[in-house]
Amino acid sequence: MKVMAQMAMVMNLDKCIGCHTCSVTCKQAWTNRTGTEYVWFNNVETRPGQGYPRTYEDQEKWKGGWQLNKAGRLKLKGGGRFKKLATIFSNPKMPSIQDYYEPWTYDYATLTDAPAQEHTPVARPKSLLTGKNMKITWSSNWDDNLGGSAATLEHDPMLKKIADKVKFEFEQTFMFYLPRICEHCLNPSCAASCPSGAIYKREEDGIVLVDQDKCRGWRMCISGCPYKKIYFNHKTGKAEKCTFCFPRIEVGLPTVCAETCVGRLRYIGLMLYDADKVLAAATTEDEHGLYEAQREVFLDPDDPEVQRAAEAAGIPRDWVQAAQRSPIYALNNRFKVALPQHPEYRTMPMVWYIPPLSPVVDVVKDTGYDAEDKGNLFAAIDALRIPIEYLAELFTAGEVAPVDLVLKKLAAMRSYMRDINMGREPDGSIPAAVGMTEEEMYDMYRLLAIAKYDDRYVIPPAHAEQAHSLEELGTECSVSEYDGGQQGLFGEGSGVPTPIAVENFQMLQDRQTADSLASPADKSLRVNLLNWDGKGAPEGLFPRRSEDEEKTP
């Protein structure tokens, strides 16, 4: 048993309202520079829909992720070393700017500087790439809220697999939002695709990063990532991707997208896993078994044997304790209501999702029946095979049973808690019907419905003694034949790894929680809602009351 730690995230899709706040704050924090105009480390897609970039899930076209060869071993779907060498200067399997969108701004000067005239001046859209006038035809959320309408139906790769059963019924029955970031996979195909070995997975917390000094702009990582969450900065000639806000994670703060999420749908925590089981799990022959195979890789942090192995592996005690309180382990392995996105890519993603129950509830309510009754909800889940099959294509490689069970657990929780909230005697048969105890169902309700800040984000800060190792580039990250990247294949991966910027942990924490780069002297008197945990009213949020007002009841 080789115990390793991995930061992970779970998103409750029932809570996402599609406000795109996470996308905007991530954009402002990470990709507001020249060359990243089209880049969205975090984006929110409407499903059914084409996604961003368009049809990124069509791996017959893009050749991302892994597949098994005839011998049952993993190989990159886009080809091995010789295939990459043959196409090193012309990568044909990469989205173009049309698959993303051509970023634009407006000629605001025609509005602000125009003299008085008979007709109102018009600010024409200007391309941020060429500076010329352009016609806007697509963007990162162009099909927002369309949800399987005729405009996007035929372009959704997931719908093509069940097209005979779907047709246009999705337009009336089903729509939900899907926030996406880099999956920070246990077996990242992007790292194995990089000829320069510039993409690495940190040994301490599993975050996947790009070494900007070693990146040579081959862009094989863009092809290799099946989620298309690596982007090319045309200004710097380097690849960039979501960093899981590692400077914040190192000081115990959640990612920017999670911190600013309006719906509070994101959970962040630490998972312990057995690195020796990753290869066997990733090479599971049956695609329908990949979801459970990955779940079996995760270790129970309450197991004394796991704790001893973690201590032997050098994992700090407080990290093990954080893994015991981790909301990710509770949702993934204890309650088993979170599912990975496209396990059939065999990258073993570490951003999981709780599928949405709301569309099912809405359909029941529209029929005039009680949408909270367990009998009605269970019957509706069984009847709405089309949405569940779509969710299965998205989360369980087409296997319907796990999605069906998750939705029934969520429906049971809704019915069970309604009895309690209405002052009625709780019905123990409801959780028993989905294989849960009453205590487990109540705990799941507290985590999903009313969890506080400290319950949703259990992030152990990095230790000062780990500073040196955190600066280094990490160890091999993939279980593939490439041993975590093709270092040295073209002479780019040789030499001593270049460390990332060195920064004092306390100074970093001050900077992350400050309103400016240097923490102001009066910071204690200021209000920063970005770091507010939602408890009480922060000092300074409201004007101070006079003594007479305080005496008034």
Side-chain angles (χ1 to χ4, degrees):
M1 180 191 302
K2 182 180 179 182
V3 181
M4 298 189 72
Q6 169 81 42
M7 293 304 304
M9 180 183 289
V10 167
M11 302 191 205
N12 186 357
L13 299 184
D14 243 350
K15 291 185 174 183
C16 185
I17 61 175
C19 66
H20 301 275
T21 303
C22 52
S23 300
V24 173
T25 52
C26 177
K27 184 74 173 173
Q28 291 298 316
W30 292 102
T31 61
N32 60 353
R33 297 163 281 109
T34 302
T36 61
E37 293 88 352
Y38 77 102
V39 175
W40 297 87
F41 287 169
N42 183 109
N43 71 290
V44 181
E45 301 169 358
T46 296
R47 289 310 182 100
Q50 300 181 64
Y52 179 73
R54 298 192 218 192
T55 67
Y56 71 90
E57 293 163 302
D58 186 358
Q59 302 313 325
E60 296 303 316
K61 175 182 180 181
W62 301 117
K63 306 295 183 183
W66 302 92
Q67 64 183 2
L68 297 181
N69 60 18
K70 294 181 180 179
R73 297 183 60 188
L74 284 177
K75 69 173 183 178
L76 290 170
K77 199 162 188 174
R81 299 181 181 184
F82 296 107
K83 177 70 174 295
K84 285 180 168 45
L85 179 60
T87 59
I88 191 70
F89 296 109
S90 178
N91 184 0
K93 299 297 182 183
M94 187 175 63
S96 66
I97 195 64
Q98 286 74 30
D99 295 304
Y100 295 103
Y101 71 102
E102 187 171 357
W104 72 87
T105 185
Y106 293 94
D107 186 10
Y108 294 107
T110 60
L111 299 180
T112 59
D113 301 340
Q117 53 188 285
E118 181 181 356
H119 301 289
T120 303
V122 176
R124 294 183 178 274
K126 298 275 189 180
S127 171
L128 286 172
L129 302 182
T130 66
K132 299 178 180 179
N133 292 342
M134 62 173 287
K135 181 180 180 181
I136 302 172
T137 59
W138 188 256
S139 75
S140 60
N141 63 336
W142 194 260
D143 54 355
D144 197 24
N145 289 332
L146 290 181
S149 69
T152 60
L153 177 69
E154 61 182 3
H155 302 293
D156 187 335
M158 297 298 99
L159 287 182
K160 290 180 180 179
K161 299 180 180 181
I162 51 177
D164 293 339
K165 299 180 181 179
V166 177
K167 296 183 179 179
F168 294 99
E169 296 180 19
F170 265 98
E171 190 173 0
Q172 288 81 33
T173 61
F174 202 58
M175 187 196 83
F176 66 97
Y177 300 108
L178 181 70
R180 293 203 308 120
I181 64 172
C182 168
E183 299 284 341
H184 295 276
C185 307
L186 293 181
N187 180 34
S189 55
C190 60
S193 299
C194 179
S196 304
I199 301 181
Y200 61 98
K201 187 175 180 68
R202 299 208 305 186
E203 184 177 10
E204 289 74 18
D205 52 19
I207 296 176
V208 179
L209 299 172
V210 180
D211 180 2
Q212 295 291 294
D213 291 327
K214 293 178 68 175
C215 178
R216 295 298 178 265
W218 298 119
R219 288 172 273 187
M220 294 296 178
C221 54
I222 299 176
S223 303
C225 175
Y227 304 97
K228 293 297 174 279
K229 274 300 175 183
I230 299 186
Y231 302 87
F232 182 68
N233 186 324
H234 59 85
K235 183 70 173 180
T236 64
K238 307 286 187 178
E240 299 187 20
K241 64 176 294 297
C242 162
T243 65
F244 211 78
C245 293
F246 72 91
R248 294 174 58 89
I249 293 293
E250 288 176 3
V251 295
L253 297 174
T255 61
V256 170
C257 61
E259 184 83 77
T260 59
C261 176
V262 174
R264 300 185 179 184
L265 60 97
R266 301 183 187 231
Y267 300 80
I268 299 177
L270 193 72
M271 294 287 284
L272 300 180
Y273 70 96
D274 187 354
D276 293 336
K277 293 183 178 180
V278 172
L279 177 60
T283 54
T284 300
E285 186 173 352
D286 183 9
E287 288 187 345
H288 292 168
L290 286 167
Y291 153 64
E292 281 295 342
Q294 181 175 354
R295 179 174 277 164
E296 292 174 1
V297 170
F298 301 139
L299 298 172
D300 183 358
D302 292 316
D303 187 341
E305 183 179 350
V306 172
Q307 295 175 7
R308 288 191 292 269
E311 182 180 0
I315 299 177
R317 178 61 185 168
D318 60 328
W319 279 46
V320 176
Q321 292 173 344
Q324 293 172 339
R325 298 186 296 110
S326 172
I328 311 303
Y329 182 79
L331 295 171
N332 286 12
N333 279 43
R334 189 171 299 142
F335 305 135
K336 297 183 178 180
V337 292
L339 304 170
Q341 185 186 9
H342 293 299
E344 68 272 19
Y345 297 160
R346 301 181 184 273
T347 61
M348 303 187 72
M350 289 304 295
V351 176
W352 287 33
Y353 295 89
I354 299 175
L357 180 68
S358 297
V360 181
V361 177
D362 292 340
V363 170
V364 175
K365 185 165 61 176
D366 291 341
T367 63
Y369 289 94
D370 184 357
E372 303 291 345
D373 182 79
K374 67 180 179 66
N376 294 337
L377 270 180
F378 283 7
I381 292 172
D382 291 336
L384 292 177
R385 307 309 301 178
I386 297 175
I388 293 184
E389 288 176 355
Y390 185 86
L391 292 172
E393 291 292 343
L394 197 58
F395 298 124
T396 56
E399 180 69 16
V400 173
V403 181
D404 182 77
L405 180 58
V406 169
L407 292 179
K408 285 185 175 180
K409 286 183 178 181
L410 298 175
M413 180 188 73
R414 187 182 293 252
S415 298
Y416 177 77
M417 290 307 304
R418 187 180 69 159
D419 287 339
I420 295 179
N421 293 331
M422 296 295 291
R424 296 193 290 262
E425 189 70 23
D427 185 357
S429 66
I430 297 178
V434 292
M436 299 180 68
T437 65
E438 293 186 69
E439 184 178 0
E440 287 176 335
M441 183 145 289
Y442 186 74
D443 290 341
M444 184 172 73
Y445 162 75
R446 290 191 59 85
L447 186 56
L448 291 181
I450 58 176
K452 300 297 184 182
Y453 186 93
D454 294 336
D455 297 323
R456 290 183 284 119
Y457 308 132
V458 182
I459 306 170
H463 285 229
E465 65 271 16
Q466 290 181 322
H468 178 71
S469 59
L470 283 170
E471 292 164 10
E472 301 303 328
L473 293 184
T475 61
E476 57 271 5
C477 53
S478 173
V479 299
S480 74
E481 56 184 303
Y482 301 113
D483 294 327
Q486 304 173 35
Q487 288 94 336
L489 183 59
F490 300 104
E492 304 292 354
S494 58
V496 179
T498 303
I500 61 175
V502 179
E503 192 164 11
N504 175 273
F505 283 98
Q506 188 62 45
M507 184 186 302
L508 177 60
Q509 187 173 34
D510 289 343
R511 182 170 64 82
Q512 289 290 340
T513 56
D515 296 319
S516 60
L517 291 179
S519 183
D522 63 342
K523 182 181 183 302
S524 60
L525 303 178
R526 299 187 180 186
V527 179
N528 186 349
L529 292 180
L530 186 64
N531 299 304
W532 180 38
D533 63 1
K535 300 177 180 178
E539 183 69 16
L541 180 61
F542 302 104
R544 291 184 176 274
R545 302 177 64 186
S546 64
E547 295 183 2
D548 294 335
E549 290 177 330
E550 291 179 355
K551 295 178 181 179
T552 303

